[in-house]
Amino acid sequence: MRSARMVALLAAGLVALSACSAPTDTPAGDGGDRLVVATAGEPDTLNPVLNYGVDGGSLIFDGLVARDDRNQLVPALARELPTVSADGRTVTAKLRDGVVFHDGSPLTAQDVVFTYQAVLDPKVDSTLRSDLDMLASVAAPDPSTVVFTLKYSYAPFLQRLALGIVPAKALAGQDVNKAAFNRKPVGTGPYRVTSWTPGDRLVLAANERYWGGKPANSGVVVAFVPDDNVRAQRMRAGEFDAAELAPKLASGFDGRSGYRVQRVPTADYRGVMLPMGGPVTGDPAVRKALNAAVDRSAMVAGVLGGAGEPAFGPIPPTSEFAEPSIVGKPAADPAAATAALDAAGWKPGPDGVRVKDGRPAAFSLMYPATDSLRKELALAVTADARKVGIKITPEGLTWDAITPRMKTDGLVMGFGTPYDPDFVSFKLFTSTFAGQGFFNPGSYRSAVVDQALRDGRSNADPAARKAAYATFQKQLATDVPWVFLTYLQHTYVVSDAVEGVAPRVEPHEHDVANSLWWNIHTWTKTP
């Protein structure tokens, strides 16, 4: 017979969870076992087809596979990990018996087929379509078998099977983009939706028929609180059982009675995206000078309060694919920065700002106004750049104001994944996606990078993949389309009344279940 811990870990490994909300009716400490967690981000939809619960993070849905506490793939709705043919182009999954959706209807292979076909449907506004570009077809030869046929061998395809599965009957024949399902979904996950108040909270109740075992608590309220300072104030007021906070705000809870601070390792980086078409940011010498001028050590110590480490590329040091040769000086190197500018003809002007051909070395650096961490990083970059004669004007803006300017102005961005290196980087740095919104917004183009990223995703041999990603990282370090700054530790404050927390390495997108509460269905709270 399995121990309670083994059962809890199995259940945690079988599903990657995700949530966000705000609790005015049920604050922490109400004596019940419902958990209240707070996060900055709120989803636009609760439909996985439309990108809810990216990479499988969802409290409401399950994928064919999930990730355990070490981010290793484990079976979820599939009874075992799907099999891959010798040529890498046919993947077969057998469904777990007895799984039902929240409305009691049984899960069948047709539901899986419908979900993936909906993502591929050009009429559906799914940002996941490019993630499944390799998928030629998906079929259900019988009610418990799903067969995926690929256009080409794609090494990390099994990881794409974490996509949450929706019931075909709830969406068939409808406009998926506008369906009521998007706000009142039905899944197979450990929680079902009872209400969603946009801008406030998502209220979830335990799914007592959950195939992975009834949750250890009666439900979850996810509070959506975009302002970091407000979230910290409400945590101090006892409204939340757990909340993500910026490192400096979280450190204010160190040693505070009734709370503990969790500093979680991540693959989440911050960096300055530099548009290739800008008259200043497009100059290779300016980019290289900025890369040398920034003091990453000072940012980690000051801005992050020690909760992170210097970043030099998009593949985290913890990854088996990380390339050690790209690591530079974590402290500023003003001599290297000034040498690069001098050699390229950027001469000091009377006000200290360098000038070339009558143009000052000046540009704007945008950041989301409500993000205190990115604001502090922008100010740090501005100060470091000024020391070598580059004038940066930091601007805190809404995302609506930022988006149309990304092709011309710098932007403090955040991305990163602990999963496969193909994820994120292919969209962010290949010329295929140049200028497509937040995919490669600076229009970076490199034939070397394009080929390396194609080789990395198409080759199943680990050694060949490692060589491809080494080439990618080296070329990126040479071209400097981004000035990578820091890898973060995600910092959370948790009530001492909560038990069952099990941190794992987190991605950039973590507001819902890829966050600390990825396994919240195993958490308990003492009155």
Side-chain angles (χ1 to χ4, degrees):
M1 184 174 180
R2 296 180 178 139
S3 69
R5 172 170 171 74
M6 288 180 65
V7 172
L9 285 175
L10 176 61
L14 290 173
V15 63
L17 307 175
S18 162
C20 309
S21 114
T24 50
D25 62 340
T26 309
D30 66 344
D33 71 342
R34 186 164 70 162
L35 291 149
V36 182
V37 299
T39 189
E42 179 175 9
D44 297 321
T45 176
L46 296 178
N47 187 341
V49 170
L50 300 178
N51 205 32
Y52 167 69
V54 66
D55 288 329
S58 171
L59 295 166
I60 307 163
F61 298 91
D62 302 304
L64 292 174
V65 302
R67 293 182 175 89
D68 65 13
D69 54 352
R70 296 179 298 114
N71 281 322
Q72 299 298 306
L73 289 184
V74 292
L77 295 180
R79 67 179 71 154
E80 57 191 20
L81 289 180
T83 59
V84 182
S85 64
D87 65 359
R89 295 182 59 185
T90 303
V91 176
T92 304
K94 293 286 187 179
L95 297 186
R96 190 180 295 274
D97 295 330
V99 178
V100 296
F101 287 99
H102 296 150
D103 62 0
S105 60
L107 169 77
T108 72
Q110 192 54 48
D111 297 308
V112 180
V113 171
F114 176 87
T115 300
Y116 282 84
Q117 287 181 341
V119 172
L120 296 176
D121 186 346
K123 296 178 182 178
V124 176
D125 298 331
S126 178
T127 59
L128 299 176
R129 190 169 304 113
S130 57
D131 290 344
L132 296 176
D133 176 71
M134 78 300 295
L135 186 55
S137 65
V138 53
D142 62 60
S144 63
T145 305
V146 183
V147 178
F148 299 89
T149 302
L150 310 189
K151 301 173 188 174
Y152 52 86
S153 176
Y154 177 69
F157 184 72
L158 290 190
Q159 298 194 53
R160 294 299 188 194
L161 299 183
L163 174 65
I165 301 303
V166 302
K169 71 172 187 177
L171 286 164
Q174 297 186 43
D175 181 347
V176 174
N177 304 313
K178 300 177 181 179
F181 181 93
N182 302 341
R183 305 202 67 81
K184 297 179 180 179
V186 174
T188 61
Y191 295 99
R192 54 183 175 81
V193 175
T194 60
S195 67
W196 178 17
T197 307
D200 185 18
R201 81 192 86 170
L202 177 67
V203 181
L204 306 172
N207 174 13
E208 298 194 358
R209 294 183 292 184
Y210 183 50
W211 59 268
K214 178 183 174 181
N217 49 71
S218 63
V220 176
V221 177
V222 189
F224 306 121
V225 187
D227 188 280
D228 292 344
N229 290 301
V230 172
R231 206 158 57 254
Q233 291 168 3
R234 293 178 66 180
M235 186 73 202
R236 282 192 294 271
E239 292 189 45
F240 308 136
D241 294 300
E244 184 185 8
L245 296 176
K248 284 187 176 179
L249 291 170
S251 65
F253 289 82
D254 278 319
R256 186 183 178 106
S257 178
Y259 300 93
R260 63 186 185 272
V261 178
Q262 297 270 179
R263 294 176 173 87
V264 182
T266 80
D268 185 7
Y269 55 81
R270 295 292 179 273
V272 175
M273 181 280 296
L274 298 169
M276 296 294 102
V280 176
T281 56
D283 189 311
V286 172
R287 300 199 303 271
K288 291 178 181 179
L290 281 171
N291 198 41
V294 295
D295 191 337
R296 296 170 173 85
S297 291
M299 292 177 189
V300 170
V303 177
L304 303 184
E309 60 184 308
F312 299 94
I315 296 180
T318 53
S319 170
E320 63 179 306
F321 295 99
E323 171 51 45
S325 71
I326 69 164
V327 176
K329 296 181 179 180
D333 188 350
T338 55
L341 293 168
D342 288 341
W346 288 95
K347 305 300 182 184
D351 58 355
V353 179
R354 290 177 177 263
V355 179
K356 180 179 180 180
D357 299 330
R359 181 184 298 278
F363 64 92
S364 294
L365 178 58
M366 304 180 292
Y367 62 88
T370 60
D371 190 321
S372 61
L373 179 61
R374 294 196 206 194
K375 176 182 179 179
E376 290 194 55
L377 288 173
L379 294 176
V381 170
T382 298
D384 290 341
R386 183 69 185 191
K387 294 173 185 176
V388 298
I390 300 173
K391 181 182 178 181
I392 293 176
T393 303
E395 295 186 52
L397 304 167
T398 65
W399 283 113
D400 285 343
I402 288 170
T403 302
R405 294 175 51 182
M406 291 190 299
K407 293 182 181 180
T408 56
D409 296 308
L411 174 62
V412 180
M413 297 187 74
F415 278 105
T417 175
Y419 312 137
D420 197 88
D422 177 73
F423 292 13
V424 179
S425 286
F426 190 84
K427 290 182 178 181
L428 201 56
F429 297 110
T430 58
S431 58
T432 305
F433 292 92
Q436 294 188 28
F438 288 96
F439 299 157
N440 196 352
S443 296
Y444 170 63
R445 291 178 171 86
S446 165
V448 173
V449 164
D450 285 355
Q451 187 61 53
L453 289 174
R454 284 195 296 267
D455 290 344
R457 62 172 14 198
S458 63
N459 202 318
D461 177 59
R465 298 194 79 209
K466 189 167 184 177
Y469 288 116
T471 298
F472 158 62
Q473 292 167 85
K474 290 175 183 178
Q475 190 63 44
L476 211 63
T478 297
D479 296 338
V480 197
W482 278 50
V483 175
F484 294 93
L485 302 175
T486 61
Y487 276 98
L488 311 183
Q489 289 178 1
H490 292 160
T491 48
Y492 301 85
V493 176
V494 184
S495 166
D496 282 342
V498 172
E499 296 181 358
V501 177
R504 65 180 184 183
V505 179
E506 295 178 359
H508 168 66
E509 297 192 51
H510 62 284
D511 288 320
V512 193
N514 286 327
S515 62
L516 184 68
W517 35 86
W518 68 277
N519 69 330
I520 199 169
H521 61 301
T522 70
W523 289 17
T524 59
K525 180 175 70 171
T526 56

